[in-house]
Amino acid sequence: MNPVTGTALIYDAEMTNYKLLWVDPACKIEVPERLTVSYEALVKAGLADRCVSVPVREATEAEILLVHSEEYLEAVKKTPYMTLEDLQEFTLQYGDVYFHPNIYHCAKLASGATLQLVDSVMTGKVRNGMALVRPPGHHSMRSAASGFCVFNNVSIAAKYAQQKYGVKRVLIVDWDVHHGQGVQYCFEDDPGVLYFSWHRFEHQKFWPNLRESDFDIVGTANGAGFTINVPLNKVGMENSDYLSVFLHLLLPVAYEFCPELVLVCAGFDTAIGDPEGEMRATPDVFAHLTHLLMNLADGKVCAVLEGGYNLKSLPQSVCETVQTLLGDPLPRPVNLEGPCKSALESLHCVRAAHRKYWSCLNHAGDLPSGELSTKRSKSAEDGDQAEINEEEKKTDDIVWPDPPKRVTPNVQTALVVPDGTVCPEGCQWFCPSEDPDPNLMKQLRENSALDTDDTDVLTTLSSLIALMDQMEKNEIRSGLALVHDVSIVMNWVVQHAATSSCKRMLVVFLGDDMVKSCITQNGNAMLVQISNKNFDAETKNYIPVCLKKGCRDTSGLMQAVLTLLLPLGYEYDPSLVLLIRTSDCGVLESAWQQLTGLLQGLAQGHTLVVMQESEHPSVAPTVASLLGTPAPALGPLSAALSEDVETVEKLRHTLCHDWKLLQTTETQCGGDG
Ligand code: Q9C
Ligand code: ZN
């Protein structure tokens, strides 16, 4: 069966046909232009054309009643017939929301658009998609509108997916800067829906000022552990802060949970320039957040617009999200200098609060002595507050560079494989654009480690080196080679990197061979080896990870990949990833595909995979992952071996002095602040 492809885009200009009709400073930022600028940016970037356009529809009453009460629906139903005065009065019973004669119609369309997206993804019409909707949904509750939201689009969609498609595990990722309390209330006792939200909190001083937004609120009854709140107690959070939370909290839990569907409350008020969020993440971070979710649930990711009020960073962020759903190469991660103290404090608290529910967090540290986040360092906060309140904060004039263009190379995946190997769809044989450099051939021939008579080896090596050069020039995205001896090739390729155009190479090696000798001290390569041998970490750029069963235990491997390899990789920011495995490394094919897929977030997807000749059955699945086909789900993960957890934790602890993205607490690296 062919894998499902395609990205749905769901939008209808009708949802711009309502607006605030009176003066209300709290609501003036929620304007129709939010939707038009987002859609126009997608059209202008050529992204809308590449999506499957799916029409909106109105959600039915029965669908709205999956989440909302009849009384509430009946009340909202009357709003199209109200006078301006009545509308204003009706609005008053709720917080930070406004009504308009056409908002009921738009709210039905917003929910219906979300259901159309879920239908498109669940029936396999498309792989993933985004719905651009107004009004947003995540604040609205069973019997109340709130925070610009009328019907809870994503909650309705989750209930619908449970009911219509029998989906047993839904992950809702709420990356909007506000707490989606409506979603939390809807599923707080349901272990079938894992709700994750980070939100500006400022020790409960920020809207909606709820006690239940704090980290120690984890869900009730059978749903305990399935609500994850990450309170952000400072403004100005950056890319590192968000990415750390994904790598050290959301993703390990998500892989353990193993969702069948991922719904994203995709609010972009978390981005720089937003007047509500006052955070500082650049729009390209959403490409990475999106990408990191795309190997879950067989790729079934539905992003639904929530907030986002800066009319420049909003469309940019929407474009980054959609372009990633379409499978374009990721932008290089930027500004990853490590999370701030406040983000680390939150991360630590959430991990501690959830350690009893998720085995991947079992080893997390204790809660900091006694106090809750709401009560911590209040006096300092009060000082900050006074300063901020002096004049109205301006976020309009914050500037940031335009996100880099994401250029897809003409060649997606090039193969260097022995004659007779089947070339899977979507890739092609590598033919070097130039003849091998005679100097290089001479150099290769003179190397004592090689059997000089073996022309095949020399040809393969020179091909690989030419391939790497073309990847570096962005003419080719990725490559795969089957070779006679992966260790020889690795040595050579890394040595070549030291003298070539390659700026920084991340080498990921799965296998027990002794390979560290090939890593030079000059710092343009970093080698992470995962094996069951206890090698010494002799140089700073060689990181041996010794797991009890090598790569055989998928839980241990995933823990190492998510919490060690990826943070290192993101901070190192390689220009090329060399991914190598020996035939006896024992990795499960599905785990290997996850690894291959996740690594595509680095080096703009420039990955060169090298495997042993005998591994030709793995060529097709590996190429699929390189091409962006979602890796198969690993199934709900069991606990990793405690020895392995200890190994990974120890490494994180030792290495976090040099690599700040490895931190998960303020004090981990000596607490120097
Ligand atoms: N400055 C969404 O992003 N106003 N709703 C808070 C504090 C309410 C935001 C006022 C913001 C609601 C979907
Ligand atoms: Zn928001």
Side-chain angles (χ1 to χ4, degrees):
M1 209 181 73
N2 278 329
V4 175
T5 60
T7 296
L9 178 60
I10 310 189
Y11 170 73
D12 195 302
E14 174 61 12
M15 287 179 284
T16 65
N17 288 332
Y18 77 91
K19 62 175 189 200
L20 178 64
L21 296 175
W22 51 85
V23 176
D24 180 352
C27 291
K28 66 169 196 272
I29 55 176
E30 206 294 295
V31 294
E33 289 74 22
R34 297 178 54 239
L35 227 47
T36 45
V37 297
S38 299
Y39 184 70
E40 274 161 19
L42 288 172
V43 171
K44 195 160 166 230
L47 296 169
D49 257 352
R50 294 170 55 198
C51 293
V52 177
S53 162
V54 174
V56 302
R57 66 168 173 90
E58 287 189 355
T60 66
E61 291 194 4
E63 288 160 352
I64 293 166
L65 293 172
L66 288 170
V67 165
H68 298 281
S69 66
E70 290 200 37
E71 306 86 87
Y72 177 63
L73 174 58
E74 290 308 313
V76 176
K77 227 191 226 178
K78 294 195 181 103
T79 59
Y81 313 101
M82 289 181 184
T83 63
L84 191 62
E85 256 186 356
D86 289 347
L87 281 170
Q88 239 172 315
E89 201 193 300
F90 181 73
T91 292
L92 276 179
Q93 62 186 307
Y94 308 118
D96 290 19
V97 65
Y98 63 88
F99 279 81
H100 177 282
N102 198 37
I103 202 171
Y104 172 55
H105 181 222
C106 292
K108 282 188 290 184
L109 291 179
S111 292
T114 309
L115 299 181
Q116 289 284 77
L117 176 55
V118 167
D119 277 332
S120 305
V121 166
M122 288 309 299
T123 59
K125 182 177 178 194
V126 293
R127 176 189 291 161
N128 57 31
M130 174 146 203
L132 289 182
V133 302
R134 267 181 90 235
H138 71 153
H139 296 304
S140 68
M141 292 159 275
R142 182 171 155 76
S143 295
S146 168
F148 316 146
C149 303
V150 177
F151 298 139
N152 201 312
N153 309 318
V154 166
S155 293
I156 293 171
K159 293 263 191 200
Y160 179 82
Q162 288 181 321
Q163 205 171 79
K164 181 163 177 189
Y165 297 102
V167 173
K168 287 190 290 292
R169 291 178 306 277
V170 183
L171 169 63
I172 299 179
V173 178
D174 189 338
W175 73 42
D176 186 282
V177 85
H178 300 95
H179 183 213
Q181 85 280 33
V183 184
Q184 175 170 311
Y185 299 152
C186 190
F187 299 107
E188 59 188 355
D189 61 355
D190 184 351
V193 177
L194 172 55
Y195 176 62
F196 167 92
S197 173
W198 58 37
H199 32 268
R200 180 171 172 186
F201 188 59
E202 295 174 299
H203 305 289
Q204 216 178 313
K205 291 206 167 86
F206 190 70
W207 189 90
N209 312 89
L210 300 170
R211 171 67 186 87
E212 54 269 37
S213 308
D214 213 347
F215 66 83
D216 58 324
I217 303 304
V218 297
T220 59
N222 286 333
F226 295 87
T227 293
I228 303 183
N229 283 322
V230 184
L232 303 173
N233 289 315
K234 297 262 189 212
V235 297
M237 294 293 170
E238 299 185 354
N239 296 358
S240 286
D241 301 301
Y242 293 141
L243 205 59
S244 291
V245 175
F246 258 52
L247 295 173
H248 294 295
L249 174 66
L250 174 62
L251 291 169
V253 170
Y255 273 93
E256 189 170 333
F257 178 65
C258 191
E260 296 169 331
L261 175 66
V262 178
L263 303 177
V264 182
C265 288
F268 298 99
D269 37 19
T270 14
I272 191 161
D274 191 277
E276 269 291 305
E278 297 183 66
M279 300 300 178
R280 302 197 51 94
T282 54
D284 45 272
V285 84
F286 296 102
H288 291 280
L289 302 185
T290 304
H291 170 75
L292 289 167
L293 300 175
M294 284 169 63
N295 284 293
L296 293 163
D298 290 313
K300 293 201 274 304
V301 176
C302 299
V304 183
L305 184 67
E306 297 281 357
Y309 308 98
N310 179 300
L311 297 180
K312 192 173 162 216
S313 68
L314 168 65
Q316 289 178 341
S317 304
V318 167
C319 285
E320 293 292 330
T321 302
V322 171
Q323 196 171 1
T324 306
L325 291 173
L326 282 163
D328 281 4
L330 278 281
R332 280 178 67 163
V334 295
N335 304 336
L336 296 180
E337 284 91 50
C340 69
K341 262 188 93 154
S342 173
L344 283 173
E345 185 193 33
S346 299
L347 184 56
H348 178 92
C349 290
V350 189
R351 283 164 49 95
H354 278 275
R355 54 189 267 193
K356 60 171 178 282
Y357 304 108
W358 300 98
S359 63
C360 60
L361 303 176
N362 213 277
H363 57 279
D366 293 321
L367 276 176
S369 49
E371 287 174 294
L372 293 176
S373 151
T374 21
K375 297 184 190 129
R376 290 171 66 86
S377 53
K378 269 238 167 119
S379 49
E381 296 296 309
D382 290 344
D384 290 0
Q385 205 61 35
E387 243 169 77
I388 292 164
N389 287 346
E390 266 176 31
E391 55 181 304
E392 208 180 311
K393 308 145 283 190
K394 281 221 183 82
T395 41
D396 265 3
D397 45 6
I398 294 178
V399 292
W400 61 94
D402 282 347
K405 280 236 157 54
R406 296 163 60 177
V407 183
T408 306
N410 289 329
V411 179
Q412 282 279 2
T413 301
L415 298 185
V416 178
V417 293
D419 293 339
T421 313
V422 183
C423 183
E425 210 181 312
C427 56
Q428 58 192 72
W429 307 110
F430 175 63
C431 6
S433 52
E434 294 153 31
D435 283 339
D437 176 356
N439 279 331
L440 177 67
M441 287 304 270
K442 186 160 163 271
Q443 213 188 326
L444 289 171
R445 226 178 285 277
E446 280 164 6
N447 185 288
S448 55
L450 295 176
D451 175 357
T452 46
D453 294 333
D454 196 340
T455 340
D456 277 3
V457 175
L458 293 183
T459 317
T460 304
L461 280 175
S462 73
S463 289
L464 287 182
I465 286 164
L467 173 54
M468 284 166 44
D469 286 343
Q470 276 187 254
M471 289 207 281
E472 202 78 35
K473 289 186 215 144
N474 207 33
E475 293 164 1
I476 296 178
R477 175 148 159 188
S478 58
L480 184 151
L482 290 181
V483 301
H484 192 67
D485 184 332
V486 291
S487 300
I488 291 186
V489 167
M490 165 133 106
N491 267 285
W492 257 97
V493 166
V494 173
Q495 274 184 36
H496 167 77
T499 57
S500 77
S501 55
C502 180
K503 288 183 231 51
R504 279 184 306 284
M505 187 190 297
L506 171 65
V507 186
V508 180
F509 182 73
L510 310 188
D512 302 336
D513 299 16
M514 178 90 132
V515 291
K516 63 189 169 187
S517 61
C518 73
I519 291 300
T520 51
Q521 291 282 3
N522 69 0
N524 74 341
M526 169 155 78
L527 169 55
V528 179
Q529 175 173 16
I530 307 181
S531 74
N532 65 3
K533 295 260 164 22
N534 224 327
F535 296 115
D536 288 333
E538 272 160 12
T539 68
K540 201 183 139 191
N541 289 335
Y542 172 56
I543 300 167
V545 185
C546 174
L547 302 180
K548 191 118 185 284
K549 300 183 180 169
C551 301
R552 279 178 183 80
D553 177 59
T554 298
S555 301
L557 179 63
M558 286 306 290
Q559 183 110 354
V561 167
L562 296 172
T563 69
L564 190 63
L565 177 62
L566 288 182
L568 279 170
Y570 268 98
E571 192 163 348
Y572 185 62
D573 182 26
S575 52
L576 187 78
V577 176
L578 188 58
L579 174 59
I580 307 184
R581 77 180 207 204
T582 62
S583 44
D584 58 359
C585 74
V587 66
L588 278 186
E589 198 81 286
S590 52
W592 167 256
Q593 286 181 274
Q594 286 287 349
L595 169 62
T596 308
L598 287 166
L599 285 173
Q600 299 309 296
L602 303 175
Q604 302 169 282
H606 294 313
T607 301
L608 174 55
V609 176
V610 181
M611 297 188 293
Q612 208 68 38
E613 239 163 42
S614 56
E615 303 241 58
H616 49 86
S618 289
V619 169
T622 306
V623 164
S625 297
L626 288 172
L627 291 171
T629 303
L634 301 171
L637 291 180
S638 52
L641 302 171
S642 59
E643 295 96 318
D644 289 355
V645 170
E646 218 169 282
T647 303
V648 173
E649 288 306 285
K650 250 199 211 130
L651 276 166
R652 281 208 301 119
H653 191 86
T654 335
L655 294 167
C656 72
H657 294 267
D658 293 319
W659 304 101
K660 299 295 180 200
L661 271 187
L662 292 174
Q663 292 171 273
T664 50
T665 79
E666 300 158 83
T667 51
Q668 201 159 21
C669 301
D672 51 14

